Amino acid sequence: MSSLKLFISDSLHGLLGYSDSALSSYILSLALTKCSSAGSLERELRDSGIDSKGLGNFVREEKKEKKDKMKEGEKEGEEEVEMKTGKRRKTQNEGSSSEDETTVVRRKKVSGRVVKKGEKDEAAEKDEATEKEMEEIRDQREKEEFEKRLLERDSKNTKKKGAGEQDAGPGADVSKITSSEVEKMREESRMAYLEQREEKELRLLEMSIKDEEEMFRGVERTPKEMERLELNKKILAMAKGRKKKEDEEEEGYRVPDGFMDEEGMINKDKKEGVMKQRYKEDKEEKGEEELWMESQINKSKIGGGKEGRKKEGEKEYELVFDDEIEFVVGNKRKGKNKKGEEVGSDDEKKLPVYAYRQEFLDAMKDHQVLILVGETGSGKTTQIPQYLHEAGYTDYGKVACTQPRRVAAMSVAARVSVEMGKRLGAEVGYQIRFEDCTSEKTKVQYMTDGMLLRCFLTEPDLKSFSCLIIDEAHERTLHTDILFGLVKDIVRFRSDLKLIISSATLNAEAFSAYLDDAPIFMIPGRMFPVDILYTKQPEADYVDAAVVTTLQIHVTQKIGSGDILIFLTGQEEIEACAETLTMRTKGLGSRIPELIICPIYANLPADQQAKIFEKTPPNARKVVIATNIAETSLTIDGICYVIDSGFAKQKSYNPKTGMESLVVTPISQAASNQRSGRAGRTAPGKCFRLFTAWSFKNELEENTVPEIQRTNMGNVVLQLKALGINDLLNFDFMDAPPAETLMRAFESLYALGALNDKGDLTKLGRRMAEFPLEPMLSKAVIIAEKYKCVKEILSTVSMLSIGASVFYKPKEKAVHADQARMNFARGGGGDQISLLRCYNEWEENDHGTQWCFENFVQVKSMRKARDIRDQLAGLCERVEMEETSCGLDNFEPVLKSFTAGFFFNVAKLSRSGDYTTVKSRTTCYLHPGSVLAKDEVPSKWLCYFELSFTTKEYMRQCCPIKGEWLVELAPHYYSGEDIEEAKGKKMPKQRQYNKTR
DNA sequence: GAGCACTGC
């Protein structure tokens, strides 16, 4: 609490200090009451912090170390390993090698079958097998040998023990193992893990060397690159040399395979007995977690699943991987309407919603507001608006249905227009940014939620609508959350307006409570049951675990039983996962059916994205490796197995520094359930969660923190202000954003001149709200009029607002891509001017695709930039802003205009050579991707587009500016003092003037 | 020398 107080008084001092402090005390009191009543300070702090709890950090750390390890080559301390495998290790120690138990089960199969295969291969390998395959075989050998030794030793131990116990008399426990033996076993398993890891790293290293040599043949390489390559080669040679030596040494221990086979069987039973005994002992100690898991398992059995499916399934395994993961059956997601007929042509009649038509219309008659709960497949999105239309609600206004995504709005509208037999754009239409497919005749209108929000600006009472349906409300996007507040207000004074909040999850009570206890109307979904399986122990590396699980599914489940969908966090992981999968399936060759690997993430070029929708050929299985994009945005048919890493990248915002960060965070229970639902769309499915049932219950939040609580609110505040909502701190948010975030938004809008000292919208603010841009960008556009560079700033702003996806950098042509990008930087001006040059050149080349290709620029992004630019230009025309131009030779006006919007984001070069933000004194770094990163003489002053924390505080999209500009452009924010230090001499003290507002 | 999850106006 005290820290918040401090912050508020601080910021008010800096910002509002000069003015009459009516606003400040007002805001302060509101902020404080809001904050204490919401009790959200703790959450805020957590949100703004960079550390995510749970496994996220661990995994990251672990990965980084993995890389380090690879560089260090063979140096590997025991302690380090202990740390790396910490999570897994811990449970193993506590839960006392339940893993070993399974290792034995596996071992039998490995030696029983794969070895024989291996022998055959060995005969033929000289002529046939590729180098990689040979290595695979050798790997396999090594592991098996190690396991055999382990078994042998174990059997000796057990025998010895057995003899000893007999001496001690009857009743002595055969299964008791001394602690030194436990220690030994631990070490063994540690070694095994280490060995496996080492092999993997080596293989990867080898591949990367090979790749580099092949792909860059004939391409000039920098000395650094050459150096790295040489170093890698050296490491590989050294490691291989050592391996060879070890192999030779091991040769002496070799035991005939056949012998081991049998021996393995005998040992297995004994050891299993031992392990089970210990397992039970431990379970008693462990208590809650195990008990809960057990209860979950029993529940699923009662639930009518195929009892003991897992146990039986194991026996069916033909091919077992030595790093196999064990899963525990968890609860079952119950299917709705188990018969679930195939979707046919007249399927809407079979949709669950159909049976509720009359009931629904009756409910509509009685209530103004209704919460509609219907899971995926209930048909609510397509049918409900039609029912309303048929019932005559469209006689005095349109029925609007909002969707969080453009594609959804378009496709649903198209579907409904077919069902109604009307042309799209006539009675049924949609409205999204850049596309208005409606007409005067339109009765049923689908639109994005952001679009409806924009409608409020022109039509505050929404009088052209008779019904509003806010669909997918459970997603809690920023726009839906704001809509809630606005529509709640509207229904109070427009008794003729009907409101439906439609959600797919059961936490509808929250919506109901928020909307004055509105009645909840339930429609069952059409879902198939999904078995949920958890890992028995935490997995240290979920990417690796996902690969293994995929192979397990692929090998053990019948081909044609369904495709696999893996949820990972981002491009990097997806690529790594796809690579490992390719490698391992290649290694297995024809022993397994074909596995088609399809990565998908938003930045993937469209043609590659389309691959996931191709039908899987018979005798093959598709595995889709996706980000969250597959959670909501797209539906892939035929998925029956979902592998859920339990993580996603989530944006969080720290209002103190204004810094956004994208962090790998554990997902919520709700999100995990959403993911598992993806397995049961066309047939009964299974969801493999790569975490334990315990962590699901105890470590995952129940619901995802709504976006409104972890994002910058500048734009929202400006828009709400433009709608005439003045008392924002008392605005009826369903979940209020953190007070600090609102404060920061106020502060920045005030400094930009969008709000006056009373907190009211200024003329400038009203103009800014017209632009569909972040306030700082809008300001830059408006100021450009003064500096006569509107044409240039519009292009720059459009390019900036599409994000970082402009330049495309394929791995194999990274050097060329970088070169192409640096070409745009020639002539100076930093990233902003580079983007401007890029846009201009594209325009000069007739918006050509070929040009994009040659310059490693993404066409998709450029087209988007053009759309945005056209829209902005249109808006400028409407406010009679002339499209002036300053040309490219003198780009100073462009940078000045940009700085006029982004003067918050200015960093100064300190003596130590780092940059420090001028006001908040945060140390930050020039992003290596910036064109300025290669400059030899760093600019004294930088103005950046965004500050984002990844591994460091990085400034992205930076341009060099002059210190004097700050006093000229933002005299109320910067004084001479702020810049004199860098100038080295005293500047005449400038009086604050702030009377213009 | 890093790495950008997903949306939307």
Side-chain angles (χ1 to χ4, degrees), chain A residues 711-942:
Chain A
T711 193
N712 179 359
M713 293 283 287
N715 204 13
V716 171
V717 170
L718 184 63
Q719 276 207 35
L720 290 179
K721 282 278 177 193
L723 290 175
I725 295 158
N726 284 318
D727 186 3
L728 268 178
L729 287 152
N730 276 342
F731 184 72
D732 195 1
F733 290 111
M734 189 168 160
D735 285 297
E740 277 190 8
T741 305
L742 280 178
M743 290 300 306
R744 170 95 185 186
F746 275 125
E747 203 184 296
S748 68
L749 287 172
Y750 177 81
L752 285 171
L755 300 178
N756 65 14
D757 53 7
K758 291 191 186 66
D760 296 331
L761 202 66
T762 60
K763 215 171 155 186
L764 177 65
R766 179 151 293 283
R767 273 183 95 182
M768 279 164 66
E770 288 286 322
F771 291 97
L773 291 170
E774 287 300 313
M776 299 201 283
L777 286 171
S778 311
K779 174 76 184 282
V781 171
I782 289 165
I783 284 293
E785 192 180 16
K786 183 176 154 195
Y787 290 100
K788 306 216 180 315
C789 58
V790 177
K791 184 174 178 289
E792 283 76 19
I793 209 80
L794 285 181
S795 309
T796 313
V797 160
S798 308
M799 290 292 274
L800 282 171
S801 57
I802 52 168
S805 54
V806 179
F807 298 104
Y808 176 61
K809 190 164 152 183
K811 267 200 197 110
E812 64 277 12
K813 285 179 188 162
V815 187
H816 293 110
D818 273 347
Q819 243 165 31
R821 203 162 55 91
M822 285 311 285
N823 278 341
F824 296 116
R826 214 166 285 155
D831 296 307
Q832 278 76 357
I833 303 300
S834 298
L835 286 172
L836 173 60
R837 285 196 193 96
C838 175
Y839 187 85
N840 281 354
E841 258 185 58
W842 182 59
E843 204 166 54
E844 280 160 24
N845 285 278
D846 299 322
H847 306 112
T849 315
Q850 184 58 27
W851 180 89
C852 290
F853 185 72
E854 284 160 10
N855 289 283
F856 296 91
V857 166
Q858 298 212 44
V859 204
K860 207 165 74 177
S861 306
M862 294 305 290
R863 290 195 181 132
K864 207 168 153 193
R866 183 177 55 183
D867 280 337
I868 295 174
R869 200 193 178 285
D870 288 349
Q871 190 182 40
L872 294 178
L875 285 165
C876 285
E877 207 175 319
R878 215 170 70 191
V879 295
E880 287 171 2
M881 212 161 113
E882 203 188 329
E883 205 173 314
T884 46
S885 168
C886 63
L888 254 180
D889 298 328
N890 172 28
F891 48 76
E892 200 175 286
V894 185
L895 292 187
K896 267 191 172 180
S897 306
F898 176 77
T899 312
F902 286 79
F903 56 82
F904 283 101
N905 298 357
V906 170
K908 185 161 67 176
L909 190 68
S910 68
R911 272 186 216 118
S912 63
D914 292 330
Y915 281 98
T916 319
T917 56
V918 178
K919 283 291 179 180
S920 61
R921 298 272 166 205
T922 321
T923 307
C924 46
Y925 306 86
L926 189 57
H927 193 276
S930 165
V931 295
L932 294 177
K934 292 193 173 96
D935 281 6
E936 276 169 22
V937 186
S939 168
K940 218 173 249 173
W941 295 88
L942 280 186

Side-chain angles (χ1 to χ4, degrees), chain A residues 964-992:
Chain A
E964 308 89 272
W965 292 359
L966 295 174
V967 190
E968 178 192 334
L969 296 166
H972 52 292
Y973 196 74
Y974 289 103
S975 67
E977 274 169 33
D978 288 316
I979 62 162
E980 71 189 1
E981 194 191 322
K983 296 211 95 188
K985 58 175 185 187
K986 275 234 163 218
M987 289 257 306
K989 246 206 159 155
Q990 219 167 346
R991 215 32 249 143
Q992 301 294 339

Side-chain angles (χ1 to χ4, degrees), chain A residues 20 25 37 68 231 294 338 354 361 548 551 590 597 632 693 722 769 853:
Chain A
D20 194 295
S25 55
S37 66
D68 292 345
L231 181 71
E294 204 172 50
K338 280 187 185 168
Y354 194 75
L361 288 174
V548 175
L551 292 173
S590 57
I597 299 160
T632 47
F853 185 72

Side-chain angles (χ1 to χ4, degrees), chain A residues 2 71 109 235 271 346 552 632 654 793 851 860 907:
Chain A
S2 60
K71 290 212 175 96
K109 285 153 191 157
I235 292 171
K271 193 171 173 188
D346 57 348
Q552 266 171 252
T632 47
N654 181 346
I793 209 80
W851 180 89
K860 207 165 74 177

